[in-house]
Amino acid sequence: MLKELLKEYKIILASGSPRRQQFFKDLDLDFEIRMKDIEEIYPPTLKAAEITNFLAELKANAFSNELSQNEILITSDTIVWQNEKALGKPKNYDDAFQILKSLSNATHEVITSVCFKTMHSSETIHEITRVTFSELSDNAIHYYLKNYEPFDKAGAYGIQEWIGLIGIAKIEGSYSNVVGLPTERVYNYLTDKFIFNT
């Protein structure tokens, strides 16, 4: 549906995440992938969605003055937020283990920001999902890390993987947001902004 409705536009996804790329395919969108190496550093005073907003916009701004008419650039960033601290991608195995230990038997927030940038405008939205893990044994954490190697994922886990099946006790909000993209919000934004308001 979106593919036909947005046929006058060219969608550019600036993400190497296979999960986000798959979501765009599942949304039936024609899109092109364009990547830039960005040093994802943010001011230490930022908190929660301020961090993901900043990073999504940082990624988008790298394409300033490069977009053509009718191109829509989409960038995004996801963090896990727990106890007033951002948990990004783990640095190594030990870091991933400690992250999952901190998430065990506790509730955290998964925050994703998505920036939509065109030649003439830029707007950022974000989504917050609360996720509660049951208690994870050390053996379960080691099994997951050794077999699934979630070192490219914020919070050191993928909810769609084994750890999500055995460890997630409760989700409040968007499931797809925890995977890496709030698909409902993206779909509605593209529909409202570029179809019904044109």
Side-chain angles (χ1 to χ4, degrees):
M1 180 178 171
L2 269 185
K3 184 188 299 184
E4 179 63 24
L5 293 173
L6 290 169
K7 63 184 178 182
E8 301 300 321
Y9 296 93
K10 184 174 186 178
I11 305 293
I12 301 162
L13 174 63
S15 175
S17 165
R19 295 167 296 282
R20 288 180 183 139
Q21 293 173 14
Q22 187 60 51
F23 274 139
F24 270 59
K25 293 174 184 175
D26 293 342
L27 286 170
D28 194 30
L29 280 169
D30 282 332
F31 64 97
E32 172 188 319
I33 296 171
R34 291 186 200 169
M35 297 289 298
K36 285 185 182 289
D37 288 328
I38 305 296
E39 195 170 8
E40 298 182 19
I41 297 175
Y42 57 87
T45 54
L46 299 184
K47 293 187 175 185
E50 295 173 343
I51 296 171
T52 50
N53 285 349
F54 180 91
L55 292 175
E57 291 164 7
L58 183 72
K59 295 172 185 178
N61 289 336
F63 292 85
S64 292
N65 304 317
E66 295 183 19
L67 297 178
S68 302
Q69 194 72 31
N70 289 340
E71 287 187 331
I72 305 169
L73 174 74
I74 301 176
T75 60
S76 60
D77 192 80
T78 299
I79 62 168
V80 167
W81 183 255
Q82 185 188 43
N83 298 328
E84 295 296 304
K85 182 180 177 182
L87 305 176
K89 299 172 185 176
K91 300 179 182 68
N92 50 44
Y93 185 99
D94 290 340
D95 188 35
F97 182 86
Q98 291 305 319
I99 289 173
L100 288 174
K101 284 289 286 185
S102 73
L103 298 180
S104 174
N105 200 30
T107 299
H108 62 272
E109 294 180 336
V110 177
I111 307 171
T112 301
S113 293
V114 184
C115 182
F116 302 86
K117 188 176 182 65
T118 67
M119 181 186 287
H120 304 294
S121 67
S122 180
E123 189 171 352
T124 303
I125 63 173
H126 72 268
E127 184 76 15
I128 300 175
T129 305
R130 289 174 57 82
V131 180
T132 302
F133 267 104
S134 55
E135 188 166 359
L136 301 172
S137 69
D138 288 359
N139 285 341
I141 294 174
H142 283 304
Y143 174 85
Y144 174 64
L145 294 177
K146 289 175 181 175
N147 287 278
Y148 292 86
E149 301 182 341
F151 307 117
D152 66 332
K153 298 178 176 68
Y157 78 93
I159 194 171
Q160 71 278 17
E161 296 176 339
W162 179 83
I163 197 80
L165 296 177
I166 65 99
I168 298 295
K170 186 178 181 182
I171 302 175
E172 300 170 75
S174 167
Y175 171 85
S176 69
N177 181 52
V178 185
V179 180
L181 189 75
T183 53
E184 180 190 20
R185 294 288 302 281
V186 170
Y187 178 88
N188 288 337
Y189 183 91
L190 290 171
T191 301
D192 296 341
K193 189 76 173 182
F194 294 102
I195 298 172
F196 296 131
N197 286 347
T198 55

